[in-house]
Amino acid sequence: VEQRRREIGLLRAVGVSRRQVACSILIESFLLAIPGWLGGLLAGWLILRFSSGKDFGLNRMMVGFSFLGTVVGSMPAAMVPILNAIRVRPLEAVSEMREVSPDRVHPFRRRVRSRGLFLLGVALLASDLILIYGIHTDVPRRAVIHSVFGVSALALGVLCMIPALIRLAERVLLPPLAWMLRFDRTVSANELSAHIGRTTATAAMLAIGGGLFTLMQVWGYSMLGPFLPNKQMPDAFAAFLPIGLSDENAALVREIPHVLQDRFEPVAVEQAAFAPETIPKGRGGEFANVVLFGMDVDRAFVGPRPLVGLKFLQGEPAKAFAAMKSGRGVVVNDALTVDYGFRLGDRLKLCDPKRNSRVLEYPIVGIVSFNGWQWLSKTGGVRRHYGRSGGVVFASDRLVRSDYNLTDTGYFWFDLEKGADDKALEAALDKIARKNLAEKTERENARSEIAAGATVGNAAYVKLSTRTSLHDSIAKRADGVIRGLSTMPLVTLALMSIALVAVMVHSVQTRRRAFGILRAVGVERGKLTRMILAEAILLALTAALASLLFGIPAAAGALKLGQSMFGTVDPPLIFPARGLFTG
């Protein structure tokens, strides 16, 4: 429209009405939308086809809905050009062809407008954070509030802040960029801010894909954090199944090479279901149970460098450990507070798995965070009676053994020397398991309690879970999933980058006279090239900052909504440097 003002003025001079001019611009927008729609169908099909390896068909609903969305989306895209076109006067048909003038608003008014929009954007961003951290209600209602109001306020706030970010980029980033690319920064000092509407729209389009990518990366790795075992957990957990070890063979485990004898603790393990009256409505099933870990309190939890590190969220460690040693006090992990509503001071009621009518009560003296418990319970062989578990409980060894009548020791937690070989360790543990089974079989055969033909090698095995192997396997699997989720935002970002081409071409076309003058006074082609490249880089950096401003608060809101999805409480925000740098 800007390039055709003279032509439009001529049409107006020969009697073409404003309505007819507006309709012609709208028709152009529709005609541009049709190949966009066809290209979108083809691109979407190819992305799904090659990213998943499956064949996807197109049905009528897909085709019709995508056509409707594309065509309807072209209407607001035509609004600004239409408004510019109907303001063209017939006298412009005889005027000289002019360069598109930059923002003609007075500099003072322009600064006031920019700062006002920036303050409005900050206020909208703050309102989203208030919705995330200030409203405490049930998850479904919070999801509606965040999705409808929070994300809308966040997107509008970032959009309002982009003009100020562009001016900030020109003031702060242009000087070092001009020095690096070796051109005079005064030549393009205000080029982006002079056409603020165009550059804001371009940065906003780029920020759509970048913001979604940032959201996926921050949310994904923040949700992953509580699942990754850290140094709270000892180096290795060994389970001798299904019969455990005698006291003599249990002592042999401590003597295995590379096992640190002063960092070794046998564990009494049991899995018990909640008493039915303590289960909230809708929380039953296989998850309505806990795994109990019973250990010597002083050796396992107390001291400057405990074997098992418990990060207390509620309760005082000294009082909690004293209650565990002297009474029936237990420490539970934070998943039980989210999913089952247990609080400090409540009584945990569990059914004896060997006799369900017998209910055992334990006062909760501490609530802790213990990363990686989900995968430890999944791979460690501690789910003795149920396929899944809703949380873990730490208690004294004496209490767990007496309450559940545990005699043999089948579980051990210990640290390893640096460079210990997992395969050699597992082979040594397996040798002890077979020796224990042979001795047990010999004793039982002597008492004629089992058939004399029982074999030795097929009724005992070892499950070894090391912190390093757990961490690596979880992280590797999660990386693949998060990369898959981030593929579509990256494709969106790449497609939106095409818009930058149109903006830069338009910028060059409208400045041909200025470039001609620069060439006439001796500016080389290389400097012009670097100057245009610097403008594109400034737009990209502005869009990247806008992406972070949108993606990080959106991820924080998503974390709040998903805090009970996998039994986690308020996972910390994690910023994956490699992923964010890629975006």
Side-chain angles (χ1 to χ4, degrees), residues 385-453:
H385 307 292
Y386 305 95
R388 297 182 178 182
S389 179
V392 294
V393 175
F394 297 96
S396 69
D397 175 84
R398 168 194 53 79
L399 180 65
V400 176
R401 287 187 179 279
S402 62
D403 278 358
Y404 299 99
N405 193 27
L406 303 177
T407 54
D408 291 336
T409 301
Y411 301 89
F412 303 88
W413 239 330
F414 49 90
D415 280 342
L416 299 169
E417 295 176 356
K418 289 184 179 180
D421 183 11
D422 290 355
K423 291 183 177 179
L425 176 62
E426 192 167 11
L429 294 171
D430 183 68
K431 184 177 180 180
I432 295 174
R434 290 175 179 274
K435 176 178 180 295
N436 184 81
L437 178 61
E439 293 173 356
K440 186 177 181 68
T441 302
E442 185 178 351
R443 289 194 302 269
E444 297 294 344
N445 283 339
R447 299 174 190 159
S448 301
E449 292 185 5
I450 64 172

Side-chain angles (χ1 to χ4, degrees), residues 127 358 474 510 521:
S127 67
R358 180 172 174 246
I474 299 167
T510 57
V521 297

Side-chain angles (χ1 to χ4, degrees), residues 44 66 126 507:
S66 61
S507 176

Side-chain angles (χ1 to χ4, degrees), residues 285-308:
E286 288 184 304
F287 287 100
N289 64 83
V290 293
V291 175
L292 294 102
F293 292 93
M295 288 173 281
D296 184 278
V297 176
D298 288 326
R299 291 198 300 267
F301 306 119
V302 180
R305 189 168 166 258
L307 179 65
V308 180

Side-chain angles (χ1 to χ4, degrees), residues 93-236:
V94 295
S95 64
E96 295 256 341
M97 188 65 184
R98 60 179 176 81
E99 290 191 14
V100 178
S101 63
D103 191 350
R104 293 184 291 270
V105 180
H106 190 276
F108 175 75
R109 291 177 59 190
R110 189 166 48 197
R111 285 195 299 269
V112 171
R113 184 178 63 183
S114 176
R115 291 171 184 174
L117 281 174
F118 181 77
L119 292 175
L120 176 61
V122 172
L124 290 169
L125 189 63
S127 67
D128 176 65
L129 296 176
I130 291 171
L131 289 175
I132 293 173
Y133 295 104
I135 295 180
H136 303 284
T137 181
D138 56 1
V139 170
R141 190 175 303 171
R142 195 185 307 165
V144 173
I145 292 173
H146 177 69
S147 302
V148 176
F149 300 104
V151 175
S152 301
L154 181 60
L156 186 58
V158 172
L159 182 62
C160 291
M161 296 171 71
I162 287 178
L165 296 178
I166 290 173
R167 290 187 169 90
L168 180 67
E170 282 185 329
R171 181 169 296 182
V172 176
L173 300 178
L174 182 59
L177 198 58
W179 178 81
M180 291 171 59
L181 296 179
R182 295 292 187 269
F183 68 90
D184 188 354
R185 66 185 178 89
T186 58
V187 177
S188 58
N190 299 306
E191 186 56 38
L192 295 181
S193 57
H195 303 89
I196 197 67
R198 186 177 68 207
T199 52
T200 297
T202 307
M205 284 188 289
L206 290 174
I208 292 172
L212 292 175
F213 180 82
T214 303
L215 166 62
M216 290 299 178
Q217 289 284 313
V218 176
W219 177 81
Y221 283 100
S222 297
M223 287 297 292
L224 173 64
F227 289 87
L228 293 176
N230 56 22
K231 292 188 177 181
Q232 289 179 281
M233 192 180 292
D235 291 338

